[in-house]
Amino acid sequence: MWYLCVFFHRLLDYRKPEVESLAKLFGAFDDNQNDDVHPQLQWKLPLHHHPDSPFHLVNLPSEEIARNIANRSILVKGMYELWGEGGSYEELKDSILSYPDERKLPYLESNSTFRITVDTFGKVISLQEHKELIQGFTYIPFKGKVNLRKPEHNFWLIEIDNCEGNNGLPPVEQKRIFFGREVGAADRKLLPTYELKSRTYLGPTAMDAEIAFLMANQALATPGKLVYDPFVGTGSILVAAAHFGAMTMGADIDIRVVRDGRGPDRNVWSNFKQYGLEMPVGLLRADNNLPPWRPGLKEVFDAIICDPPYGVRAGGRKSGGRKLLKGAVEPYIVPDDKRTDHIPSTAPYSLVECVHDLLDLAAKMLVLGGRLVFFYPVLREEESPHNHFPEHPCFKLISSSEQILSSRYCRVLLTMVKIGPYTEEISLAARMQHLEFRENHVKWLEDGNLHSAVFSPVDAQLKETGDYKIKDSTKKYRGKYV
Amino acid sequence: MGLLTHNMLSSNIRGVVNGFPLRIEAVKVVEKNVEMNTDFLKNMFEKIDWKAFVEASISMGYTELPKEADSSLLDSDDFLNRFHHALLELHLEEGALVCPETRRRFPVSKGIPHMLLHEDEV
């Protein structure tokens, strides 16, 4: 059945992947007999709508699935059973009247309560107009009682105007009116609850709550699953996974973030305690470049979610720096009397190497069908950046959602599904693929180049490239900039 | 550090052939209440190295686990309770994990094992 899916107008690239992921989680594809690892939903746009429109139509197998998706999602404002639509109120009336009675009558019964909400996009209407619009529905035989606070059935009249104003919405060529029954809606209240400023312990790169929840949804976090973050920091991503009931585990190379925090009640553990969430089943200080997993351990995690350090705000580190102690000579040996409490030195860890290690770890440690969800930086000047994502023979990329961070660079949330078991041959093939990738695509990612590309003064860059393009800084329609 | 984590870790010092299981030196063991999830336990049961798990639980002072276990036990509530307790509720707060081959100690402090290697062990 087709449902009207109305999105919040933000993070446009993240909207459909979120619904697709939740559809998978709530069993929308269970009847699918073929072995497609990534079945997709059917989507349609309302007449004359731009793909960035907040309004979409989506085909889902049941109302229950539609409700579950909407209620857990972050970006779905509402999912509606459409009773009618049209370009004018006359067309809307005909459309509603021709919608089968057996679909309508059960929600209009005298012992039920209801409410009609008027939502206008692109214009503001007065209270009087509002009232007139609702009173215009005399042709629908509402028998129930009106209840504005807690109605059983929520009906929505949604009008999208063909205005040309600068309202941040995609241009609509023609006025469109929808009338439908709400099936489910996002619980955005959890965002203020989890917003970072309420967090007792924060790091400089803590993940914004909204994005963290989106990541947890992409990872299909749910009770009974184990979710791992190899760059756990202050735990901001795992908090979202724990909110959805998953067991969590995290590692970080920096002991200051995972252990000490800022006192007894301001550390990673307290970030979970604060919200009454289950604590991570394990936190450890470890190096992704030399992971301490026992030989033969594989397929334990259901999902790996992380934001690898890509050197813009925080750079990666790995074991193996060689700062010699005074008087020591090569080869480097830590003196026996200094072994306890010795702080091993670390060396810079380039993003390319870091991503290779991450894919290798995920290929080994994820269950089949498990998901790897992580951010990857992309310079916006690059041509066809979409061919430049890292690849691995064990994984299939199922979504990439761009979030623009500045005029110079953006980050892309990649969601990959493990499609094949890890073997030695695959590990070798992945190594080759990685070297090829490194050679051809990502020289700029090495050794702080990304940092300088993002932060160096404009003049210097222009001198290098030699051409000066004046950028149109006054885009009316914000599109992906939202 | 819980025993699930312990069961996954080994000493990865260069040259060490058999770094698993790490021996537990318990200084302070705490118990945390964790809500039981049977699906999670069933999931984890197959991944656990049982022998190492039982030994680890004994070194943490818990002796209620059967020496051997197969998946038929997962139907028993009594077994699930014990498995759950040992896997998720017992935590090594202070102590160390010791490499079985080199005796190198990986300290555990405030519940977090420190698995980073020294420069000459990489």
Side-chain angles (χ1 to χ4, degrees), chain A residues 456-482:
Chain A
S456 69
V458 180
D459 290 351
Q461 285 201 335
L462 289 176
K463 253 181 232 158
E464 270 172 38
T465 53
D467 65 326
Y468 184 78
K469 281 183 234 146
I470 299 169
K471 281 184 189 148
D472 179 17
S473 58
T474 54
K475 285 198 179 75
K476 287 204 177 75
Y477 159 53
R478 291 182 291 158
K480 280 186 184 172
Y481 296 78
V482 183

PDB file of all heavy atoms in Angstrom, chain A residues 456-482:
ATOM      1  N   SER A 456      43.254  26.097   4.738  1.00  0.00           N
ATOM      2  CA  SER A 456      44.203  27.075   4.205  1.00  0.00           C
ATOM      3  C   SER A 456      43.437  28.266   3.634  1.00  0.00           C
ATOM      4  O   SER A 456      42.313  28.130   3.186  1.00  0.00           O
ATOM      5  CB  SER A 456      45.072  26.436   3.126  1.00  0.00           C
ATOM      6  OG  SER A 456      44.280  26.157   2.001  1.00  0.00           O
ATOM      7  N   PRO A 457      44.089  29.454   3.631  1.00  0.00           N
ATOM      8  CA  PRO A 457      43.379  30.642   3.151  1.00  0.00           C
ATOM      9  C   PRO A 457      43.004  30.492   1.678  1.00  0.00           C
ATOM     10  O   PRO A 457      43.689  29.808   0.922  1.00  0.00           O
ATOM     11  CB  PRO A 457      44.406  31.767   3.318  1.00  0.00           C
ATOM     12  CG  PRO A 457      45.485  31.226   4.169  1.00  0.00           C
ATOM     13  CD  PRO A 457      45.443  29.753   4.086  1.00  0.00           C
ATOM     14  N   VAL A 458      41.919  31.120   1.283  1.00  0.00           N
ATOM     15  CA  VAL A 458      41.415  30.992  -0.083  1.00  0.00           C
ATOM     16  C   VAL A 458      42.460  31.419  -1.108  1.00  0.00           C
ATOM     17  O   VAL A 458      42.667  30.758  -2.116  1.00  0.00           O
ATOM     18  CB  VAL A 458      40.144  31.856  -0.249  1.00  0.00           C
ATOM     19  CG1 VAL A 458      39.615  31.739  -1.660  1.00  0.00           C
ATOM     20  CG2 VAL A 458      39.098  31.418   0.755  1.00  0.00           C
ATOM     21  N   ASP A 459      43.147  32.518  -0.826  1.00  0.00           N
ATOM     22  CA  ASP A 459      44.101  33.059  -1.793  1.00  0.00           C
ATOM     23  C   ASP A 459      45.128  32.029  -2.223  1.00  0.00           C
ATOM     24  O   ASP A 459      45.418  31.886  -3.398  1.00  0.00           O
ATOM     25  CB  ASP A 459      44.823  34.271  -1.199  1.00  0.00           C
ATOM     26  CG  ASP A 459      43.866  35.446  -1.074  1.00  0.00           C
ATOM     27  OD1 ASP A 459      42.747  35.308  -1.608  1.00  0.00           O
ATOM     28  OD2 ASP A 459      44.231  36.445  -0.449  1.00  0.00           O
ATOM     29  N   ALA A 460      45.659  31.323  -1.251  1.00  0.00           N
ATOM     30  CA  ALA A 460      46.701  30.352  -1.545  1.00  0.00           C
ATOM     31  C   ALA A 460      46.181  29.297  -2.515  1.00  0.00           C
ATOM     32  O   ALA A 460      46.843  28.933  -3.480  1.00  0.00           O
ATOM     33  CB  ALA A 460      47.179  29.696  -0.253  1.00  0.00           C
ATOM     34  N   GLN A 461      44.956  28.843  -2.262  1.00  0.00           N
ATOM     35  CA  GLN A 461      44.383  27.817  -3.135  1.00  0.00           C
ATOM     36  C   GLN A 461      44.174  28.359  -4.540  1.00  0.00           C
ATOM     37  O   GLN A 461      44.410  27.680  -5.525  1.00  0.00           O
ATOM     38  CB  GLN A 461      43.037  27.360  -2.582  1.00  0.00           C
ATOM     39  CG  GLN A 461      43.200  26.467  -1.375  1.00  0.00           C
ATOM     40  CD  GLN A 461      41.958  25.632  -1.155  1.00  0.00           C
ATOM     41  OE1 GLN A 461      40.871  26.018  -1.568  1.00  0.00           O
ATOM     42  NE2 GLN A 461      42.121  24.502  -0.519  1.00  0.00           N
ATOM     43  N   LEU A 462      43.739  29.596  -4.619  1.00  0.00           N
ATOM     44  CA  LEU A 462      43.461  30.156  -5.924  1.00  0.00           C
ATOM     45  C   LEU A 462      44.745  30.302  -6.728  1.00  0.00           C
ATOM     46  O   LEU A 462      44.777  30.044  -7.917  1.00  0.00           O
ATOM     47  CB  LEU A 462      42.778  31.524  -5.778  1.00  0.00           C
ATOM     48  CG  LEU A 462      41.349  31.427  -5.258  1.00  0.00           C
ATOM     49  CD1 LEU A 462      40.782  32.822  -5.048  1.00  0.00           C
ATOM     50  CD2 LEU A 462      40.478  30.637  -6.226  1.00  0.00           C
ATOM     51  N   LYS A 463      45.805  30.725  -6.053  1.00  0.00           N
ATOM     52  CA  LYS A 463      47.085  30.864  -6.736  1.00  0.00           C
ATOM     53  C   LYS A 463      47.496  29.533  -7.344  1.00  0.00           C
ATOM     54  O   LYS A 463      47.939  29.457  -8.459  1.00  0.00           O
ATOM     55  CB  LYS A 463      48.149  31.348  -5.752  1.00  0.00           C
ATOM     56  CG  LYS A 463      48.532  32.809  -5.976  1.00  0.00           C
ATOM     57  CD  LYS A 463      49.603  33.211  -4.982  1.00  0.00           C
ATOM     58  CE  LYS A 463      49.203  34.487  -4.255  1.00  0.00           C
ATOM     59  NZ  LYS A 463      49.904  34.614  -2.977  1.00  0.00           N
ATOM     60  N   GLU A 464      47.286  28.488  -6.552  1.00  0.00           N
ATOM     61  CA  GLU A 464      47.670  27.155  -7.023  1.00  0.00           C
ATOM     62  C   GLU A 464      46.889  26.755  -8.264  1.00  0.00           C
ATOM     63  O   GLU A 464      47.443  26.299  -9.248  1.00  0.00           O
ATOM     64  CB  GLU A 464      47.415  26.114  -5.936  1.00  0.00           C
ATOM     65  CG  GLU A 464      48.609  25.895  -5.024  1.00  0.00           C
ATOM     66  CD  GLU A 464      48.242  25.012  -3.862  1.00  0.00           C
ATOM     67  OE1 GLU A 464      47.459  24.056  -4.084  1.00  0.00           O
ATOM     68  OE2 GLU A 464      48.726  25.274  -2.758  1.00  0.00           O
ATOM     69  N   THR A 465      45.589  26.904  -8.197  1.00  0.00           N
ATOM     70  CA  THR A 465      44.776  26.415  -9.299  1.00  0.00           C
ATOM     71  C   THR A 465      44.782  27.398 -10.468  1.00  0.00           C
ATOM     72  O   THR A 465      44.596  27.008 -11.605  1.00  0.00           O
ATOM     73  CB  THR A 465      43.327  26.180  -8.854  1.00  0.00           C
ATOM     74  OG1 THR A 465      42.866  27.378  -8.236  1.00  0.00           O
ATOM     75  CG2 THR A 465      43.230  25.038  -7.880  1.00  0.00           C
ATOM     76  N   GLY A 466      45.007  28.671 -10.157  1.00  0.00           N
ATOM     77  CA  GLY A 466      45.161  29.636 -11.233  1.00  0.00           C
ATOM     78  C   GLY A 466      43.864  30.161 -11.822  1.00  0.00           C
ATOM     79  O   GLY A 466      43.872  31.102 -12.586  1.00  0.00           O
ATOM     80  N   ASP A 467      42.768  29.561 -11.477  1.00  0.00           N
ATOM     81  CA  ASP A 467      41.516  30.119 -12.008  1.00  0.00           C
ATOM     82  C   ASP A 467      40.641  30.580 -10.860  1.00  0.00           C
ATOM     83  O   ASP A 467      40.544  29.942  -9.824  1.00  0.00           O
ATOM     84  CB  ASP A 467      40.779  29.130 -12.899  1.00  0.00           C
ATOM     85  CG  ASP A 467      40.295  27.918 -12.150  1.00  0.00           C
ATOM     86  OD1 ASP A 467      41.001  27.496 -11.204  1.00  0.00           O
ATOM     87  OD2 ASP A 467      39.249  27.397 -12.495  1.00  0.00           O
ATOM     88  N   TYR A 468      40.015  31.665 -11.064  1.00  0.00           N
ATOM     89  CA  TYR A 468      39.243  32.269 -10.006  1.00  0.00           C
ATOM     90  C   TYR A 468      37.785  32.275 -10.413  1.00  0.00           C
ATOM     91  O   TYR A 468      37.399  32.887 -11.402  1.00  0.00           O
ATOM     92  CB  TYR A 468      39.753  33.699  -9.768  1.00  0.00           C
ATOM     93  CG  TYR A 468      39.081  34.383  -8.631  1.00  0.00           C
ATOM     94  CD1 TYR A 468      39.448  34.081  -7.325  1.00  0.00           C
ATOM     95  CD2 TYR A 468      38.090  35.328  -8.854  1.00  0.00           C
ATOM     96  CE1 TYR A 468      38.827  34.713  -6.271  1.00  0.00           C
ATOM     97  CE2 TYR A 468      37.462  35.952  -7.806  1.00  0.00           C
ATOM     98  CZ  TYR A 468      37.835  35.648  -6.503  1.00  0.00           C
ATOM     99  OH  TYR A 468      37.223  36.260  -5.463  1.00  0.00           O
ATOM    100  N   LYS A 469      36.995  31.519  -9.672  1.00  0.00           N
ATOM    101  CA  LYS A 469      35.569  31.489  -9.996  1.00  0.00           C
ATOM    102  C   LYS A 469      34.818  32.164  -8.861  1.00  0.00           C
ATOM    103  O   LYS A 469      35.006  31.831  -7.696  1.00  0.00           O
ATOM    104  CB  LYS A 469      35.087  30.042 -10.119  1.00  0.00           C
ATOM    105  CG  LYS A 469      35.444  29.420 -11.456  1.00  0.00           C
ATOM    106  CD  LYS A 469      34.865  28.009 -11.531  1.00  0.00           C
ATOM    107  CE  LYS A 469      35.961  27.035 -11.877  1.00  0.00           C
ATOM    108  NZ  LYS A 469      35.808  25.738 -11.275  1.00  0.00           N
ATOM    109  N   ILE A 470      34.014  33.098  -9.221  1.00  0.00           N
ATOM    110  CA  ILE A 470      33.191  33.730  -8.192  1.00  0.00           C
ATOM    111  C   ILE A 470      32.014  32.816  -7.895  1.00  0.00           C
ATOM    112  O   ILE A 470      31.265  32.443  -8.801  1.00  0.00           O
ATOM    113  CB  ILE A 470      32.704  35.116  -8.642  1.00  0.00           C
ATOM    114  CG1 ILE A 470      33.915  36.012  -8.891  1.00  0.00           C
ATOM    115  CG2 ILE A 470      31.790  35.724  -7.596  1.00  0.00           C
ATOM    116  CD1 ILE A 470      33.588  37.311  -9.572  1.00  0.00           C
ATOM    117  N   LYS A 471      31.923  32.436  -6.657  1.00  0.00           N
ATOM    118  CA  LYS A 471      30.838  31.513  -6.313  1.00  0.00           C
ATOM    119  C   LYS A 471      29.560  32.278  -6.014  1.00  0.00           C
ATOM    120  O   LYS A 471      29.589  33.329  -5.401  1.00  0.00           O
ATOM    121  CB  LYS A 471      31.249  30.674  -5.116  1.00  0.00           C
ATOM    122  CG  LYS A 471      32.166  29.552  -5.536  1.00  0.00           C
ATOM    123  CD  LYS A 471      32.507  28.663  -4.380  1.00  0.00           C
ATOM    124  CE  LYS A 471      33.598  27.692  -4.793  1.00  0.00           C
ATOM    125  NZ  LYS A 471      34.474  27.356  -3.698  1.00  0.00           N
ATOM    126  N   ASP A 472      28.471  31.701  -6.458  1.00  0.00           N
ATOM    127  CA  ASP A 472      27.176  32.308  -6.179  1.00  0.00           C
ATOM    128  C   ASP A 472      26.823  32.027  -4.722  1.00  0.00           C
ATOM    129  O   ASP A 472      26.499  30.920  -4.348  1.00  0.00           O
ATOM    130  CB  ASP A 472      26.118  31.705  -7.105  1.00  0.00           C
ATOM    131  CG  ASP A 472      24.750  32.292  -6.813  1.00  0.00           C
ATOM    132  OD1 ASP A 472      24.697  33.333  -6.157  1.00  0.00           O
ATOM    133  OD2 ASP A 472      23.753  31.704  -7.275  1.00  0.00           O
ATOM    134  N   SER A 473      26.955  33.081  -3.923  1.00  0.00           N
ATOM    135  CA  SER A 473      26.768  32.860  -2.488  1.00  0.00           C
ATOM    136  C   SER A 473      25.317  33.086  -2.066  1.00  0.00           C
ATOM    137  O   SER A 473      24.971  32.918  -0.915  1.00  0.00           O
ATOM    138  CB  SER A 473      27.680  33.797  -1.704  1.00  0.00           C
ATOM    139  OG  SER A 473      27.368  35.121  -2.063  1.00  0.00           O
ATOM    140  N   THR A 474      24.462  33.485  -3.008  1.00  0.00           N
ATOM    141  CA  THR A 474      23.089  33.790  -2.621  1.00  0.00           C
ATOM    142  C   THR A 474      22.113  32.812  -3.256  1.00  0.00           C
ATOM    143  O   THR A 474      21.232  33.192  -4.003  1.00  0.00           O
ATOM    144  CB  THR A 474      22.702  35.219  -3.038  1.00  0.00           C
ATOM    145  OG1 THR A 474      22.988  35.323  -4.446  1.00  0.00           O
ATOM    146  CG2 THR A 474      23.467  36.256  -2.272  1.00  0.00           C
ATOM    147  N   LYS A 475      22.320  31.540  -2.971  1.00  0.00           N
ATOM    148  CA  LYS A 475      21.382  30.548  -3.498  1.00  0.00           C
ATOM    149  C   LYS A 475      20.075  30.653  -2.726  1.00  0.00           C
ATOM    150  O   LYS A 475      20.052  30.612  -1.511  1.00  0.00           O
ATOM    151  CB  LYS A 475      21.970  29.152  -3.339  1.00  0.00           C
ATOM    152  CG  LYS A 475      23.066  28.890  -4.342  1.00  0.00           C
ATOM    153  CD  LYS A 475      23.326  27.395  -4.456  1.00  0.00           C
ATOM    154  CE  LYS A 475      24.411  27.097  -5.462  1.00  0.00           C
ATOM    155  NZ  LYS A 475      25.754  27.396  -4.985  1.00  0.00           N
ATOM    156  N   LYS A 476      18.978  30.745  -3.474  1.00  0.00           N
ATOM    157  CA  LYS A 476      17.699  30.898  -2.799  1.00  0.00           C
ATOM    158  C   LYS A 476      17.198  29.583  -2.250  1.00  0.00           C
ATOM    159  O   LYS A 476      16.784  29.475  -1.117  1.00  0.00           O
ATOM    160  CB  LYS A 476      16.680  31.489  -3.770  1.00  0.00           C
ATOM    161  CG  LYS A 476      16.936  32.959  -4.049  1.00  0.00           C
ATOM    162  CD  LYS A 476      15.678  33.643  -4.489  1.00  0.00           C
ATOM    163  CE  LYS A 476      15.903  35.126  -4.706  1.00  0.00           C
ATOM    164  NZ  LYS A 476      16.646  35.408  -5.943  1.00  0.00           N
ATOM    165  N   TYR A 477      17.268  28.570  -3.096  1.00  0.00           N
ATOM    166  CA  TYR A 477      16.802  27.270  -2.652  1.00  0.00           C
ATOM    167  C   TYR A 477      17.974  26.529  -2.024  1.00  0.00           C
ATOM    168  O   TYR A 477      18.985  26.291  -2.683  1.00  0.00           O
ATOM    169  CB  TYR A 477      16.204  26.501  -3.827  1.00  0.00           C
ATOM    170  CG  TYR A 477      16.161  25.028  -3.590  1.00  0.00           C
ATOM    171  CD1 TYR A 477      15.555  24.529  -2.430  1.00  0.00           C
ATOM    172  CD2 TYR A 477      16.752  24.138  -4.463  1.00  0.00           C
ATOM    173  CE1 TYR A 477      15.543  23.189  -2.182  1.00  0.00           C
ATOM    174  CE2 TYR A 477      16.738  22.791  -4.215  1.00  0.00           C
ATOM    175  CZ  TYR A 477      16.134  22.316  -3.073  1.00  0.00           C
ATOM    176  OH  TYR A 477      16.138  20.982  -2.811  1.00  0.00           O
ATOM    177  N   ARG A 478      17.851  26.204  -0.768  1.00  0.00           N
ATOM    178  CA  ARG A 478      19.007  25.712  -0.044  1.00  0.00           C
ATOM    179  C   ARG A 478      19.337  24.252  -0.329  1.00  0.00           C
ATOM    180  O   ARG A 478      20.460  23.821  -0.168  1.00  0.00           O
ATOM    181  CB  ARG A 478      18.816  25.930   1.455  1.00  0.00           C
ATOM    182  CG  ARG A 478      18.862  27.394   1.814  1.00  0.00           C
ATOM    183  CD  ARG A 478      18.710  27.580   3.286  1.00  0.00           C
ATOM    184  NE  ARG A 478      17.372  27.252   3.734  1.00  0.00           N
ATOM    185  CZ  ARG A 478      17.089  26.931   4.989  1.00  0.00           C
ATOM    186  NH1 ARG A 478      18.044  26.852   5.875  1.00  0.00           N
ATOM    187  NH2 ARG A 478      15.856  26.649   5.342  1.00  0.00           N
ATOM    188  N   GLY A 479      18.313  23.478  -0.729  1.00  0.00           N
ATOM    189  CA  GLY A 479      18.565  22.081  -1.088  1.00  0.00           C
ATOM    190  C   GLY A 479      19.398  21.356  -0.065  1.00  0.00           C
ATOM    191  O   GLY A 479      19.090  21.354   1.121  1.00  0.00           O
ATOM    192  N   LYS A 480      20.490  20.788  -0.521  1.00  0.00           N
ATOM    193  CA  LYS A 480      21.322  19.980   0.363  1.00  0.00           C
ATOM    194  C   LYS A 480      22.017  20.806   1.434  1.00  0.00           C
ATOM    195  O   LYS A 480      22.632  20.267   2.331  1.00  0.00           O
ATOM    196  CB  LYS A 480      22.389  19.280  -0.450  1.00  0.00           C
ATOM    197  CG  LYS A 480      21.876  18.059  -1.151  1.00  0.00           C
ATOM    198  CD  LYS A 480      23.033  17.358  -1.793  1.00  0.00           C
ATOM    199  CE  LYS A 480      22.552  16.177  -2.586  1.00  0.00           C
ATOM    200  NZ  LYS A 480      23.639  15.617  -3.369  1.00  0.00           N
ATOM    201  N   TYR A 481      21.965  22.129   1.290  1.00  0.00           N
ATOM    202  CA  TYR A 481      22.653  22.946   2.287  1.00  0.00           C
ATOM    203  C   TYR A 481      21.934  22.911   3.623  1.00  0.00           C
ATOM    204  O   TYR A 481      22.453  23.321   4.631  1.00  0.00           O
ATOM    205  CB  TYR A 481      22.778  24.384   1.788  1.00  0.00           C
ATOM    206  CG  TYR A 481      23.637  24.486   0.562  1.00  0.00           C
ATOM    207  CD1 TYR A 481      23.142  24.130  -0.678  1.00  0.00           C
ATOM    208  CD2 TYR A 481      24.979  24.858   0.662  1.00  0.00           C
ATOM    209  CE1 TYR A 481      23.943  24.161  -1.798  1.00  0.00           C
ATOM    210  CE2 TYR A 481      25.772  24.888  -0.456  1.00  0.00           C
ATOM    211  CZ  TYR A 481      25.257  24.546  -1.689  1.00  0.00           C
ATOM    212  OH  TYR A 481      26.061  24.581  -2.793  1.00  0.00           O
ATOM    213  N   VAL A 482      20.688  22.400   3.571  1.00  0.00           N
ATOM    214  CA  VAL A 482      19.907  22.356   4.806  1.00  0.00           C
ATOM    215  C   VAL A 482      20.552  21.376   5.771  1.00  0.00           C
ATOM    216  O   VAL A 482      20.859  20.266   5.391  1.00  0.00           O
ATOM    217  CB  VAL A 482      18.470  21.910   4.526  1.00  0.00           C
ATOM    218  CG1 VAL A 482      17.679  21.951   5.816  1.00  0.00           C
ATOM    219  CG2 VAL A 482      17.834  22.776   3.498  1.00  0.00           C
TER     220      VAL A 482
END
